[in-house]
Amino acid sequence: MTMLLDALPVIGAFLLAGFVKGVAGFGLPTVTLGLLALTRPLPDAMALMLVPALATNLWQAFAGPHLGAALRRLWPFLLTAGIGALAGTGILARSDATVLSGLLGLLLMASAALSLSGWPVPPPGPRRERWVSPAMGLASGVVTGMTGSFLMPAAPYLVALRLPPGEFIQGFGLGVVVATGALAIGLAGGGLLPEELGLASLAGVVPAFLGMAAGQRLRRGMAEARFRRVVQAALGVLGFYLAVKAFI
């Protein structure tokens, strides 16, 4: 009975995080971390998040017709995201992860407010994209290594590229797979990934997929402009939650 009561908050966290991801195409690691960290240390929450995040984003990245287009457009971004995540994990080992998550929340809120106000980040253009994409990938990877979340600046940057919704979803999924995989390697190498927590994270896979399926049902039929507003609103809500939890 005690084990069931302990498992219920974990199952609920992954159901909600999967739903957010199904609607917006991102957010499972961030929502999961925020909810699980209410009852356990953040490094433990990061370990529990890894398997469901990798599983749902592998499915998101490969279940669709836009994989080739996303890889051709985003491979420099993806490559540097992996490198940055390994570097960021080293920073995490020497920092207060809760404070880092709170700072991430403030950045997400600022990004969402800017876009929803009607002043979206301008597209870089084909010429600048060749060097901006690797820089944004590196920054996104470092933030992932420090906080466990791949949202910032990855999501605002991919929105700025004006990718079609399907390509955005698969491209973002690829980014999470690369960065979270590198995060797992970094955590294991730094002794921050206990075997029992890594195995326990398997229990979150099924509820995460169930929530994701429900969110995708809601997303179908949305116009592209509405889809982008949902993306930005989700960024703001997630950022607010992270900031309040860390600083209040």
Side-chain angles (χ1 to χ4, degrees), residues 38-233:
L38 291 171
T39 57
R40 62 193 73 227
L42 185 61
D44 290 357
M46 291 173 74
L48 286 168
M49 170 272 298
L50 288 174
V51 175
L54 285 169
T56 53
N57 281 284
L58 278 168
W59 184 87
Q60 175 176 312
F62 290 95
H66 306 284
L67 178 61
L71 281 171
R72 286 190 296 272
R73 181 83 179 267
L74 299 176
W75 72 263
F77 174 86
L78 298 170
L79 177 63
T80 55
I83 296 170
L86 287 172
T89 308
I91 299 172
L92 169 67
R94 303 187 299 272
S95 304
D96 185 333
T98 302
V99 172
L100 291 174
S101 294
L103 293 175
L104 170 66
L106 295 176
L107 290 173
L108 291 173
M109 290 171 62
S111 171
L114 179 66
S115 295
L116 292 172
S117 70
W119 300 329
V121 180
R127 236 177 237 186
R128 283 189 294 177
E129 187 177 330
R130 284 180 290 184
W131 62 266
V132 172
S133 272
M136 289 294 101
L138 185 65
S140 300
V142 169
V143 171
T144 302
M146 292 191 299
T147 67
S149 171
F150 188 65
L151 282 178
M152 190 69 181
Y157 175 66
L158 294 181
V159 169
L161 291 181
R162 308 295 192 265
L163 299 171
E167 194 173 326
F168 174 92
I169 293 294
Q170 288 191 253
F172 195 88
L174 284 169
V176 176
V177 168
V178 170
T180 305
L183 171 65
I185 293 170
L187 289 175
L192 300 174
L193 184 57
E195 183 178 350
E196 63 273 15
L197 287 178
L199 293 174
S201 70
L202 289 168
V205 172
V206 172
F209 271 107
L210 290 175
M212 187 174 167
Q216 286 176 330
R217 274 181 174 272
L218 181 63
R219 192 183 75 221
R220 289 191 192 110
M222 283 188 184
E224 185 168 340
R226 187 179 179 190
F227 170 82
R228 298 196 187 284
R229 287 196 296 273
V230 169
V231 170
Q232 294 300 334

